[in-house]
Amino acid sequence: MSKKQLRLGAFMRPVSIHTAAWRYPGGTPDANFNFKALVQYAQTLERGKFDAFFMADHLAVLNMPMEALKRSATVTSFDPLTLLPALAQHTEHLGLIATASTTFEPAYTIARRFASLDHLSNGRAGWNIVTTSNPDAAQNFGMDDQMAHDERYARAREYYDVVTGLWDSWADDAFVRDVDSGVYFDPAKLHVLNHNGKYLKVKGPLNIARPVQGWPVIVQAGASDAGRQLAAETAEMVFAAGGPIAGAREFYKDVKERAARAGRNPDHIKILPGAFVVIGESLDEAKEKRARLDSLVSYDSGIAALSIAAGVDARKFDPDGPLPELPETNQSKSGRERVMALARREGLTVRQIAGRLGGYGGLGMLGTPAMIADQMQEWLETGASDGFNVMFPYLPGGLDDFVDKVVPELQRRGLFRTEYEGRTLRENLGLPRPDNRFFSATAKAAE
């Protein structure tokens, strides 16, 4: 039995990331707004012992031409911090990770909502920290243009300090609730943050008890230098970009080393690349499923996806020519770099790249359950990942195939749990519960 165990999240948007998933035969076209279906998916993930349901989010309708937008199932979806508390009532062990922006959301509100989710789920909440690269989102929050890339990350670092500080407003035993004396809480176990920084001014304290996990699990994505540094300093789970395994090993090593330099235990950061998994009775059958799915993507959708990843309008490029050099923009630097690397590595035309991105252009795993398990085992045991955020090609079929066929194979190899280790997301990920910075034993000794 392998000593190292895979961690598996399910990256939901809130269903599949593939543009054409809603059109696939046997799929669920209305799944983004079908609560009954979403409950079913969450319960299937829990049956498969997944660590977490990881929900992406957008703060604006995607900035793409209408010809592409009208084909997108992600044009609308539930708010994650509305949906996940509801899913918490239908599950017992599955982690619930929501995306929330540090650029547009008030820090106090985010701290309060995630603390609430952690209490409502009995310790299963996670916060995916994003800085938001969609320029249209800025216009939905009273800004004419988005904040510069590196400044967004600098703000995010301060934001993290504020939110985690607010979570530590109360000692774990602050609420005595002494009926006889009439004392509800001990004032000595309340801390007022009084934060006054470059980007944020927040008094506190938070008006909700400290979360069950101490802090909800912190999740971070981003492959730029600023993104890697923020992840190394703050993240406990990293949603890494999929790609060639050699590049994944470099990313894994770099982030873990940065964490060690920041005084953190590298084992307390779980790096999970996104993996788009298509399962068949044979490799040919899996390829046929992927080809059928990709054939349902229009060129309008593909070129729009390329424009978003590149940060420029790709419609002006020669469809049958090579990808030109892409300028830097305030949008995702890692997205731009992945597109250029893909184009160089495979010599793809603009049309071919658009077709790839219009479906899903990241790490794909195709084959039989044993072949999928082989690939996951190689990534785990060669220092490329601690597991994966699995993306399903369509639902419910793609999800059912993974849980019913791949999970048993991983369990047979001793690579994945057969039962949950605990009740909280931290326990299942093997992460420690953080001390309260204001009321821990160390803090008391220093006073």
Side-chain angles (χ1 to χ4, degrees), residues 151-163:
E151 189 174 12
R152 292 203 309 271
Y153 278 93
R155 176 187 165 87
R157 185 65 182 83
E158 183 181 332
Y159 195 106
Y160 163 87
D161 289 336
V162 171
V163 169

Side-chain angles (χ1 to χ4, degrees), residues 98-102 127-131 156 159-160 218-221 230 234:
T99 298
S101 175
T102 60
W127 172 31
N128 177 37
I129 300 175
V130 297
T131 65
Y159 195 106
Y160 163 87
I218 303 295
V219 183
Q220 170 69 21
L230 181 64
T234 67

Side-chain angles (χ1 to χ4, degrees), residues 265-441:
N265 183 340
D267 291 338
H268 294 163
I269 304 178
K270 309 301 180 182
I271 297 180
L272 278 63
F276 187 77
V277 179
V278 184
I279 302 157
E281 294 300 315
S282 65
L283 177 59
D284 284 344
E285 182 182 313
K287 287 181 176 179
E288 287 171 6
K289 285 184 177 181
R290 178 70 191 263
R292 184 173 188 179
L293 185 63
D294 288 347
S295 73
L296 299 173
V297 178
S298 71
Y299 180 73
D300 288 326
S301 295
I303 204 67
L306 175 56
S307 297
I308 291 172
V312 296
D313 186 355
R315 291 176 297 175
K316 63 186 178 183
F317 299 158
D318 177 3
D320 298 308
L323 183 72
E325 188 68 22
L326 300 174
E328 287 201 13
T329 70
N330 275 336
Q331 291 182 241
S332 172
K333 292 184 184 296
S334 56
R336 166 183 165 273
E337 289 164 2
R338 283 197 300 273
V339 167
M340 291 193 299
L342 174 64
R344 287 194 297 265
R345 186 170 63 246
E346 300 188 25
L348 302 178
T349 65
V350 169
R351 187 185 303 277
Q352 290 169 325
I353 297 168
R356 186 79 62 87
L357 295 182
Y360 177 68
L363 173 64
M365 293 185 175
L366 282 73
T368 65
M371 294 169 70
I372 301 300
D374 286 342
Q375 294 173 73
M376 290 189 165
Q377 184 167 2
E378 180 185 8
W379 279 66
L380 178 70
E381 295 181 347
T382 63
S385 77
D386 294 306
F388 298 92
N389 277 307
V390 181
M391 304 174 186
F392 307 105
Y394 55 93
L395 287 95
L399 167 56
D400 291 340
D401 283 348
F402 192 96
V403 167
D404 293 337
K405 299 174 182 179
V406 177
V407 167
E409 178 63 20
L410 295 172
Q411 291 170 331
R412 185 186 68 77
R413 300 182 186 201
L415 295 170
F416 190 59
R417 66 168 67 90
T418 55
E419 295 295 339
Y420 284 103
E421 293 82 358
R423 292 300 301 270
T424 72
L425 179 55
R426 285 184 175 278
E427 289 171 328
N428 293 327
L429 288 172
L431 298 172
R433 186 177 189 270
D435 286 337
N436 188 313
R437 72 184 68 173
F438 307 119
F439 298 105
S440 69

